[in-house]
Amino acid sequence: MTWPTVRLGDVVAQHGGVIQTGPFGSQLHMHDYAEDGIPVVMPKDISGGAIDVSGIARIGEAKARELSRHRMSPGDIVFPRRGDIRKCALVTLVTGGYLCGTGCLKIQVAASVFDPRFLYYLLSSDDVGAWLEGRAVGTTMLNLNSAILRDLSLPVVPLSVQLNIVATVSA
């Protein structure tokens, strides 16, 4: 079946959510990192559709409060801004509260439009990966930005069908 499509940016504008880059380098410096604290997700931490915490950087709680708009919630999806822009991760209950790092972008959409797991499967598909690579800037290293993600067209699939697809793919 062919579904109508909608731009991701229109979904966010009409139903709520964000497509946002992590903090700029001027907001987060080397001296802000700490041995313990709130994990900060960098592109190297995105692996196999998940966030790998084995070598993750951390910042103190006070700095994390300053950067609270970059906190991620369960159901968000995080992408690297440069390099392997085909990979992404679904933020879980465990990784919710982590910060979207400088080299990443986070996507948050209304669950009334896209089930987060369904959206993750869509965004990690080969078709979307090829589309992103075709529109990314840079020749030596591909760079992704929020404008590119906003322009991405996705199928508008009823939630009940999304949930059936998620159940099938997850099995």
Side-chain angles (χ1 to χ4, degrees):
M1 170 163 217
T2 303
W3 305 99
T5 61
V6 64
R7 287 177 52 246
L8 186 57
D10 292 339
V11 171
V12 168
Q14 294 169 11
H15 300 280
V18 296
I19 301 171
Q20 171 186 309
T21 60
F24 291 104
S26 61
Q27 296 173 294
L28 192 56
H29 301 94
M30 281 303 295
H31 66 266
D32 293 318
Y33 291 98
E35 187 78 22
D36 296 313
I38 305 302
V40 180
V41 178
M42 304 296 187
K44 69 172 185 57
D45 304 316
I46 301 170
S47 179
I51 296 170
D52 177 4
V53 297
S54 60
I56 204 161
R58 297 172 184 275
I59 60 173
E61 186 62 48
K63 187 63 177 181
R65 276 193 302 276
E66 285 178 37
L67 299 172
S68 63
R69 68 185 295 260
H70 300 287
R71 288 249 184 173
M72 297 185 298
S73 299
D76 290 357
I77 297 166
V78 62
F79 271 90
R81 286 180 41 206
R82 58 191 167 271
D84 184 2
I85 60 171
R86 282 184 176 242
K87 67 181 184 176
C88 62
L90 179 64
V91 178
T92 65
L93 289 172
V94 173
T95 56
Y98 290 10
L99 277 155
C100 178
T102 300
C104 293
L105 291 140
K106 76 172 178 176
I107 298 172
Q108 182 182 82
V109 298
S112 61
V113 180
F114 284 110
D115 176 84
R117 297 163 299 168
F118 179 78
L119 183 59
Y120 164 75
Y121 290 135
L122 278 178
L123 294 175
S124 60
S125 72
D126 286 338
D127 289 342
V128 169
W131 187 92
L132 292 173
E133 285 180 345
R135 282 150 186 85
V137 281
T139 50
T140 305
M141 182 180 288
L142 295 178
N143 284 272
L144 191 58
N145 59 46
S146 56
I148 293 168
L149 287 173
R150 280 187 187 88
D151 202 35
L152 176 63
S153 288
L154 298 172
V156 179
V157 178
L159 276 175
S160 60
V161 175
Q162 290 180 37
L163 295 175
N164 286 336
I165 291 169
V166 167
T168 301
V169 173
S170 298

